[in-house]
Amino acid sequence: MSVLSYQNHCRKLPAMAGIGLRQPHYDDFFSQQPKVGWVEVHPENYFDIHSPPAEWLLKIRQQYPLSLHGVGLSLGSTDPLSEEHLAKLAELIAIYEPALISEHLCWTSQQGIYFQDLLPLPQSSEVITHLVQRIGQVQDYLKRPIAIENVSSYIQVPGGEMTEWEFLLSTAKQAGCLILLDINNIYVNAQNHGFSAKTFIDAIPADWVAEIHLAGHTSVTLESETILVDTHGDVVCDEVWELYRYAIAKYGPKPTLIEWDTDLPSLNCLVGEANKAQYILDNAYDCAS
């Protein structure tokens, strides 16, 4: 599917700041009805379409554009794609009509065993060929394109032949999908592996970026070596905000999500982070000057 077709399909997701909604915020979200541009959820939490969370999401969808951000397809695995997972995802799409479907460019399972992490892949042409075939299966099944997200990593995976940004963009172009660009993951990986985060951003053309993620991370020291870990459990740091301004100056306004999955704050705190992103989006011209 072409980039133009993708953009037409995603016309309902505004170039505004949204938040990732989690169950502890349901009541406050209903009562406050915060002024955010859209919301994003993990579809796996709503596969039981008759559950209270699924009924709650239907009410939210009537008021806000929705994005479904998957964590369980394991695009990079050599296991067969789960037809049960795809069928449930297709059912959610039919019910909620989300503006965007996304998944991580990683693997999460092997030989039927699922790991509680988003594991990075070797950055090679062989892996790209494998991913393109898998992404094609998903898009054919869902009858719509998806966006793929760059993930954080803490070791250099053996077998790499190219940079992370070359791997991400080449996969998207060959698969005919788009990119969900996680700015925090770019910063984390740049610090952990010693490359320029701005070089990564410069390498991704604006037309391929369907959505941007912002999140917090944690610094961990192991045997005198300090690494950054993508925990989604804190406010966005100043350095990531700076990179986000740089990205918006390059790309123009893009749908931007505040992710916060652990040590959840109040809804007001989460919306406050979204408001910071919205201010940058509203002043995109100033970012570029």
Side-chain angles (χ1 to χ4, degrees):
M1 187 171 291
S2 69
V3 173
L4 179 59
S5 297
Y6 178 87
Q7 290 171 336
N8 289 340
H9 213 83
C10 294
R11 60 187 179 275
K12 295 180 182 178
L13 193 62
M16 298 174 64
I19 60 172
L21 275 182
R22 304 295 177 259
Q23 190 168 353
H25 291 145
Y26 287 1
D27 290 341
D28 287 342
F29 195 89
F30 271 123
S31 62
Q32 297 178 22
Q33 296 187 3
K35 292 183 179 180
V36 293
W38 51 285
V39 297
E40 184 168 276
V41 300
H42 297 313
E44 293 83 358
N45 294 332
Y46 302 89
F47 276 174
D48 180 356
I49 62 172
H50 301 295
S51 66
E55 294 176 2
W56 169 87
L57 186 60
L58 194 57
K59 296 178 182 178
I60 294 299
R61 177 63 187 89
Q62 293 169 358
Q63 302 176 53
Y64 295 86
L66 174 67
S67 177
L68 297 181
H69 184 48
V71 295
L73 269 179
S74 195
L75 290 175
S77 175
T78 55
D79 289 349
L81 285 168
S82 170
E83 289 194 14
E84 179 182 6
H85 189 112
L86 286 171
K88 290 180 178 179
L89 184 55
E91 186 175 32
L92 288 187
I93 292 170
I95 293 171
Y96 298 106
E97 298 182 340
L100 181 63
I101 309 294
S102 58
E103 253 292 352
H104 297 82
L105 196 62
C106 71
W107 62 284
T108 58
S109 67
Q110 188 64 30
Q111 297 182 340
I113 299 173
Y114 281 80
F115 307 98
Q116 299 300 313
D117 208 342
L118 304 170
L119 301 169
L121 293 158
Q123 294 158 4
S124 70
S125 56
E126 182 180 5
V127 173
I128 290 175
T129 299
H130 176 67
L131 286 165
V132 167
Q133 187 268 336
R134 304 263 289 185
I135 295 169
Q137 282 184 261
V138 172
Q139 295 184 145
D140 288 345
Y141 191 99
L142 300 179
K143 296 181 173 59
R144 60 181 293 163
I146 65 171
I148 52 174
E149 179 186 355
N150 56 299
V151 299
S152 57
S153 63
Y154 314 110
I155 61 169
Q156 294 281 13
V157 181
E161 303 170 352
M162 62 193 75
T163 64
E164 185 181 346
W165 48 92
E166 290 170 334
F167 178 72
L168 175 66
L169 183 59
S170 182
T171 301
K173 285 183 174 181
Q174 292 185 47
C177 65
L178 267 284
I179 291 171
L180 193 169
L181 199 66
D182 191 309
I183 301 294
N184 182 63
N185 287 350
I186 292 175
Y187 178 76
V188 165
N189 290 1
Q191 294 300 304
N192 289 342
H193 305 311
F195 63 78
S196 166
K198 290 183 177 179
T199 297
F200 192 133
I201 292 170
D202 287 342
I204 307 299
D207 286 346
W208 291 89
V209 179
E211 181 184 328
I212 288 175
H213 275 187
L214 299 171
H217 58 260
T218 300
S219 177
V220 176
T221 301
L222 299 171
E223 298 181 354
S224 76
E225 182 177 0
T226 299
I227 62 171
L228 301 185
V229 179
D230 178 38
T231 55
H232 294 183
D234 205 344
V235 296
V236 179
C237 74
D238 290 343
E239 292 82 0
V240 172
W241 281 122
E242 178 186 351
L243 278 179
Y244 177 60
R245 292 187 185 91
Y246 182 85
I248 294 303
K250 173 180 174 62
Y251 303 140
K254 294 286 184 180
T256 300
L257 185 85
I258 301 296
E259 281 192 299
W260 202 316
D261 297 314
T262 61
D263 298 324
L264 286 176
S266 67
L267 179 62
N268 286 339
C269 177
L270 191 60
V271 172
E273 289 290 278
N275 288 341
K276 294 178 184 178
Q278 189 61 55
Y279 179 83
I280 294 171
L281 291 169
D282 290 341
N283 294 276
Y285 176 80
D286 292 337
C287 291
S289 63

